[in-house]
Amino acid sequence: MSNDQPPSGPPPDDDPFRKRPPGDQPPPSGSPYDAAPPPPPYGPGPYGGGGPYGGADPLAGMPPLAEPGKRVLARLIDFLIISIPLYLISLPWGGAVGGSDSNGNDDNVGDIFAQTYSGHQLLWSLIGLVLYVAYDTYFTHKDGRTLGKRLLKMRVAMLNDGRVPDTGAAFLRAVVLWLPALLCCPCLWWLINIVLMFTDKPYRQGLQDKAAKTVVVTVN
């Protein structure tokens, strides 16, 4: 009776972007993880180990982090993909932005700011919120790439293992990103996130990334 053990190897994985643990066979040629040098150690994180969520540095073996400028441009593309059709659809009902006061005059900037969440504007803000959250959730869960990220060769990855976010993580990320941006404090919210993408160390996480424990990386 043979004592040979069956050959070992990594289990099949349907996620082509998932980070391979140390010791696994090298990924096939053309994988986004080919020749991706591990980043320098960042020291222990607040939860122990080499990263902020424990264990070794989560970025080891993953592609490089996406450039902040490209992330901002990708987000602008995604915003336009939703906002332009939404505005055109809203035109028969007075448009999704702007409006008239009780005397029929067009709102000036101050009036628009003061009436942003009244009646007509609130309705379209809620419709926009549903569309933006659904768009982000679907594409982020599908393969980590909205249309803007696909054009600029980036994707969202779970920080702990590099896999594509599941539905829960994708939904949480979308809600944290879009809810304040559309219903609360849009200018301040975008400013905070843009600053974080440039300054957050070591993972360049926006508030939505911190909530969902994700990062944005480059792909081939």
Side-chain angles (χ1 to χ4, degrees):
M1 182 174 183
S2 173
N3 293 324
D4 291 343
Q5 298 297 320
S8 61
D13 193 343
D14 293 334
D15 183 352
F17 298 108
R18 189 162 187 167
K19 179 174 58 178
R20 271 62 178 176
D24 274 4
Q25 297 297 321
S29 177
S31 164
Y33 294 91
D34 278 354
Y42 296 105
Y47 302 99
Y53 306 112
D57 178 21
L59 286 181
M62 289 179 69
L65 293 171
E67 296 179 8
K70 286 188 176 181
R71 290 182 62 179
V72 174
L73 180 57
R75 182 57 62 192
L76 178 60
I77 292 172
D78 292 329
F79 177 78
L80 293 176
I81 286 172
I82 298 295
S83 62
I84 291 176
L86 178 63
Y87 176 74
L88 294 176
I89 292 171
S90 73
L91 286 178
W93 292 274
V97 294
S100 300
D101 59 24
S102 57
N103 297 320
N105 299 318
D106 290 339
D107 290 330
N108 58 35
V109 174
D111 293 333
I112 292 174
F113 182 81
Q115 299 176 12
T116 297
Y117 303 113
S118 63
H120 177 87
Q121 287 299 107
L122 178 59
L123 173 62
W124 285 105
S125 293
L126 292 173
I127 292 173
L129 175 63
V130 171
L131 292 176
Y132 286 118
V133 169
Y135 170 89
D136 248 87
T137 301
Y138 173 76
F139 284 106
T140 300
H141 172 57
K142 180 176 180 287
D143 62 2
R145 295 178 286 183
T146 60
L147 299 181
K149 287 184 174 66
R150 185 180 296 275
L151 286 173
L152 296 178
K153 298 183 178 180
M154 299 179 292
R155 81 169 187 96
V156 180
M158 296 304 296
L159 178 58
N160 63 337
D161 61 5
R163 64 183 168 84
V164 169
D166 59 23
T167 303
F171 177 74
L172 176 61
R173 191 177 189 277
V175 169
V176 171
L177 176 65
W178 290 110
L179 181 62
L182 295 177
L183 297 182
C184 174
C185 40
C187 294
L188 178 61
W189 194 251
W190 289 124
L191 177 61
I192 291 172
N193 270 297
I194 289 173
V195 169
L196 279 175
M197 282 189 286
F198 280 91
T199 63
D200 179 68
K201 301 296 182 183
Y203 303 120
R204 297 178 185 168
Q205 291 175 300
L207 294 174
Q208 70 278 9
D209 292 310
K210 292 182 181 295
K213 295 181 173 62
T214 58
V215 289
V216 180
V217 297
T218 58
V219 293
N220 294 330

